[in-house]
Structures are given as C-alpha cells and as structure tokens.
Amino acid sequence: LAKTTQPISMDSYEGQEVNITCSHNNIATNDYITWYQQFPSQGPRFIIQGYKTKVTNEVASLFIPADRKSSTLSLPRVSLSDTAVYYCLVGETGGFKTIFGAGTRLFVKA
Amino acid sequence: DAGVIQSPRHEVTEMGQEVTLRCKPISGHDYLFWYRQTMMRGLELLIYFNNNVPIDDSGMPEDRFSAKMPNASFSTLKIQPSEPRDSAVYFCASSLGLTGGRRNQPQHFGDGTRLSIL
C-alpha cells in the first residue's frame, strides 16, 4: 500500500498558478494516482487521475515524472472558490486500500 | 443526473438513541461506500458494497454499527445505541468500479450527514 506525503497547507492569491506536490516513494507498478478536492460541508470530489507523464482536464493538470515517485497537481489561475482541501491517493481506491490522508489545505486570498 | 443523495443532512440526538442514515447512490453504480470524517481521524472507510453485497466491513468501528443495502438504489447505516464519540460527518459514495483498478472509475460522494450525539 503506497503511502502519500503532501504539504499540510498552502496559501496563494487569486490569479496565480498553484502546484501541490505529493510524494509516493513506494508506488506499485499498477497504481494510479488520483486527486480529490473537498469544500467545507461537502463530500470529496474527483478532480483528476493519471498513471504517467501529463494529464490535463478542464479543472487541472497532473504531472507525473518518469520514476512516478511523486506527482504534482497544477491549478491554473486559482480563484477564491478554489479554497479547499486537496487529497492525493495512490493505488486502487474504494476498497480498504483507500487512504485519504490529511490532505493539503489550500487558502486562496484576494 | 442526480448525484448521491444522503439524508438527513443534520442529525442531533441523545446518547443511547438509534440513528439511521440513508443513502441513494447514482443510478447504475454498482459500488457503494460509507465513510466517516472527523478532525482527529480524517476520512475513514467503514464498509463498502458491490452489487448490494457487503464486501468488507472491517472498517466498522463496533457492533453498534450496521449497514444494509436492500436494493441497488438504497442503503442505510445504523448506529444503535449511539454514543457521543460517534459524532462525525458520515459520507456515502458510489462508483462504477474501484478507482485506479481495472475499471478505473472515480467515486462520487454525497454531501454527508453531520451527526451530533449529545
């Protein structure tokens, strides 16, 4: 089971690009990397998932280096509404391999 | 399409009372999950179902907790008797498969039930 490490919190300003890095040194060959976002009083929401290199969708980009021991979630031009907790998960999630850690609390300031 | 629907959104009750939380998954999803979230322990998976069958309930904290899924569109999580330490936000989620696995499907969460046991 791959353990993940990510910063506890980050601050940013509106309009900036935010990069949140997650370390997962013991990621297994078949493991995917998944990011969720959680707003106050809501359940987590799936943002993006990847296996290697780069994945981009309408919300974010996910960069995964060749060794896959880390990954970086990139949020372009954040707004106040991007203030949330961001969770990095590795491996097959949904069973008892699922580990939602403490996540990264992102504060976006005006 | 409606998302995962949980009820009630808030529940306040006294210690010793029975509490029943309800969940309606997204139509067509064959996996359903119950989570509990607290400041101290974060988000913990309690139990999950596949095609209405409980796959593993080893995350359920005690015998006071039970979960059922009588059909594909409804599940309940029951606590009897309730205790103050059960106070938490309980989330239900559903998916078409296990994220990162062969079917690689994300989980869709409801907005949770905030439970307070006095």
Side-chain angles (χ1 to χ4, degrees), chain A residues 36 38 44 49 92-94 96, chain B residues 33 37 56 99 101 104 107 109:
Chain A
Y36 283 84
Q38 185 176 23
Q49 182 178 67
E92 187 176 78
T93 60
F96 283 93
Chain B
F33 311 86
Q37 187 171 38
D56 194 330
T99 307
N104 200 27
Q107 294 179 56
F109 283 76

Side-chain angles (χ1 to χ4, degrees), chain B residues 3 5-6 11 15 26 28-29 36 48 54 95 110:
Chain B
I5 300 172
Q6 292 186 245
E11 174 87 11
M15 181 175 64
I26 293 173
H29 283 190
R36 177 173 68 175
Y48 74 99
S95 70

Side-chain angles (χ1 to χ4, degrees), chain A:
Chain A
L1 176 60
K3 180 181 176 180
T4 61
T5 303
Q6 50 184 126
I8 295 297
S9 66
M10 295 180 67
D11 289 345
S12 182
Y13 289 92
E14 282 189 294
Q16 290 188 332
E17 178 184 77
V18 171
N19 296 307
I20 305 174
T21 297
C22 179
S23 297
H24 28 80
N25 291 320
N26 59 341
I27 188 170
T29 302
N30 296 325
D31 285 345
Y32 280 76
I33 300 156
T34 309
W35 286 80
Y36 283 84
Q37 173 191 54
Q38 185 176 23
F39 297 113
S41 301
Q42 293 185 25
R45 182 175 73 106
F46 172 85
I47 302 176
I48 197 167
Q49 182 178 67
Y51 182 79
K52 62 180 179 180
T53 63
K54 177 183 175 182
V55 180
T56 298
N57 62 23
E58 64 278 7
V59 176
S61 294
L62 179 60
F63 297 92
I64 305 168
D67 66 5
R68 304 199 329 119
K69 293 183 182 301
S70 67
S71 58
T72 298
L73 175 72
S74 181
L75 305 172
R77 299 184 61 78
V78 294
S79 64
L80 295 175
S81 62
D82 292 316
T83 293
V85 178
Y86 293 82
Y87 298 97
C88 165
L89 287 82
V90 173
E92 187 176 78
T93 60
F96 283 93
K97 297 179 182 178
T98 301
I99 302 290
F100 280 85
T104 297
R105 292 185 176 275
L106 173 66
F107 296 97
V108 180
K109 306 173 186 177

Side-chain angles (χ1 to χ4, degrees), chain B residues 58-111:
Chain B
S58 58
M60 298 283 260
E62 304 175 28
D63 291 343
R64 299 183 295 106
F65 286 70
S66 63
K68 295 182 180 179
M69 192 165 185
N71 57 62
S73 59
F74 183 67
S75 178
T76 60
L77 177 67
K78 188 173 293 187
I79 308 173
Q80 167 61 24
S82 58
E83 296 183 4
R85 60 193 168 122
D86 301 331
S87 297
V89 181
Y90 290 81
F91 289 104
C92 176
S94 70
S95 70
L96 287 168
L98 298 180
T99 307
R102 193 173 294 258
R103 290 172 68 185
N104 200 27
Q105 296 291 330
Q107 294 179 56
H108 298 261
F109 283 76
D111 286 336

